[in-house]
Amino acid sequence: MLKPKHPHQSEVTMTEMVLPNDTNTLNNLMGGRLLHWMDICAAIAAQKHSNRIVVTASVDNVSFTEPIKLGNIVTMQAKVTRAFNSSMEVFLEVWAEDIPAGHRVSTNRAFYTFVAVDQNGRPIEVPPLEPETPEENELYLSALRRRQLRLVLAGRMSASDATELKALFQVT
């Protein structure tokens, strides 16, 4: 049994500046560039938790709620919200900041799933996670529902076996 870890031990903050090469013709950050940065930030959090090489298994819905402009500073924060056998769910938040204007806005949130692998690329066990705050506990508890939904959508779990999802829709 591996020693449990706490979410703060995997916390990562990553900052980038939006440069001309990162933008589209409207001078907004290209979505693919942001997804690339988000994947790196979330992967570092998963590596910090597992002390292993990790591979991206899935990314939940990412909505682009606010444009990120040329010259903005992009800050991403990620931390592991739950660990399963060899996989980890990582929650990531993104903010864009116009420093001269003193304006900061939340632009994206997403859940990533990573799998820890050994030197041969085979899944390997990761430490369990022990939440410490009420927010971390809520993310931890709801992670099982998100995991079951991912598995059902990927065809790796039958909807009838998704007990956490069924509980959401049962009428009493």
Side-chain angles (χ1 to χ4, degrees):
M1 182 76 178
L2 297 171
K3 182 181 175 192
K5 288 188 168 183
H6 301 287
H8 75 267
Q9 292 175 280
S10 67
E11 199 165 302
V12 173
T13 301
M14 193 169 114
T15 305
E16 297 282 346
M17 177 182 273
V18 180
L19 300 172
N21 197 44
D22 302 320
T23 64
N24 60 26
T25 54
L26 298 174
N27 283 328
N28 292 329
L29 178 65
M30 290 184 286
R33 182 65 53 114
L34 178 61
L35 292 172
H36 173 77
W37 292 342
M38 291 170 70
D39 192 42
I40 292 169
C41 185
I44 294 168
Q47 282 188 348
K48 287 177 74 171
H49 179 81
S50 65
N51 293 325
R52 296 289 184 172
I53 296 167
V54 299
V55 294
T56 308
S58 71
V59 180
D60 287 8
N61 179 47
V62 179
S63 296
F64 297 88
T65 59
E66 296 284 336
I68 301 174
K69 301 288 188 185
L70 175 65
N72 281 176
I73 303 303
V74 178
T75 303
M76 294 155 281
Q77 287 187 314
K79 66 180 172 183
V80 173
T81 56
R82 188 151 183 178
F84 295 95
N85 296 324
S86 60
S87 68
M88 296 152 283
E89 180 188 80
V90 176
F91 177 60
L92 187 130
E93 294 183 271
V94 180
W95 294 271
E97 185 174 7
D98 179 339
I99 291 176
H103 180 71
R104 185 174 193 240
V105 62
S106 174
T107 62
N108 303 79
R109 297 165 60 121
F111 289 96
Y112 280 67
T113 303
F114 291 88
V115 175
V117 296
D118 64 16
Q119 296 81 353
N120 298 312
R122 288 187 289 253
I124 190 166
E125 186 180 11
V126 300
L129 186 85
E130 286 184 356
E132 297 178 290
T133 68
E135 177 191 5
E136 290 170 354
N137 195 52
E138 177 55 37
L139 287 168
Y140 177 88
L141 293 173
S142 58
L144 186 54
R145 289 189 297 272
R146 289 186 295 275
R147 181 175 193 256
Q148 286 186 358
L149 180 59
R150 286 181 204 110
L151 292 172
V152 168
L153 292 174
R156 296 182 53 217
M157 175 185 264
S158 165
S160 61
D161 293 333
T163 56
E164 291 295 312
L165 295 178
K166 279 195 231 177
L168 289 175
F169 299 104
Q170 288 180 343
V171 178
T172 55

